Amino acid sequence: MIGITAITYELPPQRIATAARAEALGVVAETLERRIGVRSISRKAAHQDTSDLAVAAALKLFERKLVAPEAVDCLVVVTQNPDGQGLPQTSAIVHAKLGLPRSCASFDMGLGCSGYVYGLSVIRSFMEANGLRHGLLITADPYSKVIDPDDKRTALLFGDGAAATLLSDRPQWRIGRFDFGTDGSGAGSLAVRGSDKRLHMDGRAVLQFSMSVVPDSLRRAMALNSLTPDHIDRVVLHQGSRVVVENIGSALGMRDRTGFHIQDYGNTVSSSIPIVLADHIQATDHHVAISGFGVGLSWASTVLSRAKCA
């Protein structure tokens, strides 16, 4: 059985405070606090690329001796903002920087906000199908590459970061069955376009999409795993914004178990769920429902259960 053994992450130390920027962009303080909910956003250094953030997150697994580089059988990198033009694949660059063995399979996944949950399904299936014992799922999507600093819809929300999840045959967390979905008709709601190749976001459309699909997706994921909301100790949602997270928690009737945690570093896209898992899961949590949703528009949900509960 392949499951999650450990999660580490990297948040660049540089922070950009949002209050002064919000005033300059015409965003009132109440909107910044109650709807966006981000006080500062993390920013990578100018010389850092996507692979550098990915490597920094993975090295923490090695430094903690959770796995040795030579023992890694596969590497999956989830990103929509790769090094260079995406050729070669960022996973190959990360593979070289980490000194992983030539026998290690490496590939990229081009998903955004739903990418971590999709990635868990893909890497677990890949490992189990091929008899692999140690895999790295790395999420790294520095949106500072595509953010217009003068766009009030995005400049006050997205932060840079990366997370590395170690999957192995000796897991701490069992990964349950999944609920997936896509609404490609809404793809333009979150898209990089134009000659300036900047991110454009229709926040209202994204909120409406999230409310229309995520609560039901989580309910289906619980049912697929023979669980009810009463069994769930914590809900970890993609940290889109305060209003998104809190409204979904309320729709589920589980707001007391659904936290918003990105006030000091921002929405890190595919890394938002694993960062919250690394920082906020308690020893008393046995079943944790997770859901990623956004760019695509796509979504994916599952339940993580402590291995001893399996």
Side-chain angles (χ1 to χ4, degrees), residues 237-266:
L237 300 175
H238 164 59
Q239 304 282 289
S241 68
R242 181 186 293 278
V243 69
V244 168
V245 170
E246 292 183 350
N247 282 3
I248 292 174
S250 295
L252 287 167
M254 302 171 73
R255 185 163 171 175
D256 59 325
R257 288 167 278 172
T258 306
F260 178 73
H261 302 289
I262 63 169
Q263 294 91 335
D264 296 324
Y265 56 87

Side-chain angles (χ1 to χ4, degrees), residues 70-276:
E70 60 269 21
V72 177
D73 299 308
C74 70
L75 166 67
V76 177
V77 175
V78 178
T79 187
Q80 293 186 316
N81 288 281
D83 281 26
Q85 300 301 311
L87 198 164
Q89 67 272 29
T90 301
S91 55
I93 299 170
V94 173
H95 177 280
K97 289 182 177 181
L98 290 175
L100 302 182
R102 293 181 68 182
S103 58
C104 174
S106 302
F107 57 93
D108 289 9
M109 289 180 59
L111 283 169
C113 311
S114 63
Y116 182 70
V117 186
Y118 268 90
L120 286 177
S121 180
V122 169
I123 192 169
R124 181 188 66 177
S125 300
F126 184 83
M127 291 177 68
E128 290 179 345
N130 292 285
L132 308 181
R133 295 187 59 199
H134 300 98
L136 296 182
L137 173 64
I138 298 181
T139 52
D141 227 336
Y143 265 33
S144 60
K145 289 185 172 185
V146 294
I147 291 293
D148 178 352
D150 295 321
D151 181 2
K152 65 182 181 181
R153 292 161 294 190
T154 59
L156 304 174
L157 176 60
F158 291 97
D160 296 337
T165 299
L166 171 63
L167 292 97
S168 79
D169 56 359
R170 303 193 65 178
Q172 296 295 313
W173 290 91
R174 178 172 55 85
I175 304 167
R177 295 180 63 188
F178 292 79
D179 178 77
F180 300 107
T182 308
D183 180 6
S185 67
S189 300
L190 267 168
V192 172
R193 58 176 181 263
S195 58
D196 58 352
K197 295 184 180 179
R198 294 300 185 185
L199 178 68
H200 295 265
M201 181 176 73
D202 183 338
R204 184 180 299 275
V206 174
L207 174 60
Q208 291 174 344
F209 152 75
S210 302
M211 294 304 302
S212 70
V213 303
V214 177
D216 285 340
S217 176
L218 279 162
R219 293 185 186 105
R220 288 192 296 269
M222 293 178 214
L224 284 168
N225 291 286
S226 301
L227 299 170
T228 69
D230 289 341
H231 293 110
I232 303 301
D233 300 296
R234 193 173 303 272
V235 179
V236 177
L237 300 175
H238 164 59
Q239 304 282 289
S241 68
R242 181 186 293 278
V243 69
V244 168
V245 170
E246 292 183 350
N247 282 3
I248 292 174
S250 295
L252 287 167
M254 302 171 73
R255 185 163 171 175
D256 59 325
R257 288 167 278 172
T258 306
F260 178 73
H261 302 289
I262 63 169
Q263 294 91 335
D264 296 324
Y265 56 87
N267 177 346
T268 54
V269 199
S270 55
S271 295
S272 74
I273 291 175
I275 291 174
V276 172

Side-chain angles (χ1 to χ4, degrees), residues 173 232 234-236 277 281 285-290 302-304:
W173 290 91
I232 303 301
R234 193 173 303 272
V235 179
V236 177
L277 291 174
I281 296 303
D285 293 337
H286 296 294
H287 299 290
V288 179
I290 65 174
T302 190
V303 178
L304 307 178

Side-chain angles (χ1 to χ4, degrees), residues 6-20:
I7 302 172
T8 53
Y9 64 85
E10 172 70 9
L11 288 171
Q14 181 184 1
R15 295 291 186 273
I16 299 174
T18 54

